[in-house]
Amino acid sequence: MTEAIATQRSSEQANAIRPFRVNVSEAELTELRRRINATKWPERETVTDATQGVQLATMQNLARYWGTDYDWRKCEAKLNALPQFITEIDGLDIHFLHVRSKHENALPLIVTHGWPGSIIEQMKIIDPLTNPTAHGGNAFDAFHLVIPSMPGYGYSGKPTTTGWDVPHIARAWVVLMKRLGYTKFVAQGGDWGAVITELMGVQAAPELLGIHTNMPGAVPADVDKAAFTGAPMPDGLSPEEKVAFERLTFVYSKGIAYGYQMGLRPQTLYGIADSPVGLAAYFLDHDAWSYALISRVFSGEAAGLTRDDVLDNITITWLTNTAISGARLYWENKLPFFSVKGVSIPVAVSAFPDEIDLCPRSWAERAYPKLIHYNKLDKGGHFAAWEQPQLLSEEVRAGFRSLRKIAIAA
């Protein structure tokens, strides 16, 4: 009996949901600024564009602001104003935000970030989704929000063994939602969050009503293979599909070198764990469209993001020393990023024009047999929640609207 009671207590402790607050010491921030200001700079690139990578002027503008005027305490205060928690799943601590709506019958929603990201990217959509009446929406469209930090990212634990791959994370998110008491819920994501969310759709837990993605895995297998290998464009593509093929060919050939590096040798990237400016440059070089957006921010233009937005996201990675632990997800991954994965449950798609993989409606309809929403947006890119929070919030509301009656009935 004593052993059984001890086992039960141990299980209860592991399943406990513990409150969490961010508390960074002043010494850590002083050391960060010292390292930024001591950066050993290379010479300027020998071209006038970004074809050689993140440009020197962009990084020096970033470092000048980061090392002098940037204030992490503002971000820390925003985080600590939100309900943060940690719970253990499969032996690993998972950090998450859990913001419940004041509106009756709000729909539970788990939202997953990507790389090079953190929960920072989703903070702008919290109020529009939990409090829609303050943002031009209806009470009927409210959500209870759960926003976890992926394993190895932010304030979640760092896996010490292999196995925390996309299917594992997808299963863990269902455990998390059920532990929070949600018997019916939906899921949303972009970047890695999109891949994880789609795998949740493939696994099709009975509690999951549907998913929304802003980076659809809808590229037909033959198209994906041709783009990846540099083969000729397949025959029979429509004009819109041809543009999508050309975008994907560019991404595979010139746009995701970081993915190949982290997929093969993540542990080698000691430089981004040791140099703040090295980390920032690596994070900025995600894709050509996002880099153009971010570089404009540091040259003084308003472009959907602020300097603080960008640096908040980089700084949380620096302070938690998760550059390498986050990179290992690419090594763990055995799934295609953009091609069809076999989701059988209801899917909502938002196709942003500056996403790294374009998604014509024809591809979405073939990839998702239960497509319940498709919309092609006029603006926005890969980091939709971060850059276009109002648009993405409206898309998430619209995408899941048809599923709400099912959730209420349950």
Side-chain angles (χ1 to χ4, degrees), residues 54 115-116 257-259 261-262 269 272 277-286:
V54 180
W115 184 95
Y258 60 86
Q261 168 69 34
M262 290 186 286
L269 294 168
I272 66 172
V277 166
L279 177 69
Y282 203 72
F283 275 21
L284 260 60
D285 203 16
H286 181 276

Side-chain angles (χ1 to χ4, degrees), residues 131-146:
N131 187 21
T133 54
H135 298 269
N138 300 313
F140 178 76
D141 285 326
F143 294 89
H144 298 310
L145 271 188
V146 178

Side-chain angles (χ1 to χ4, degrees), residues 82-95:
L82 296 166
Q84 298 179 79
F85 303 92
I86 285 181
T87 193
E88 183 182 314
I89 299 176
D90 295 343
L92 190 72
D93 276 347
I94 299 297
H95 168 260

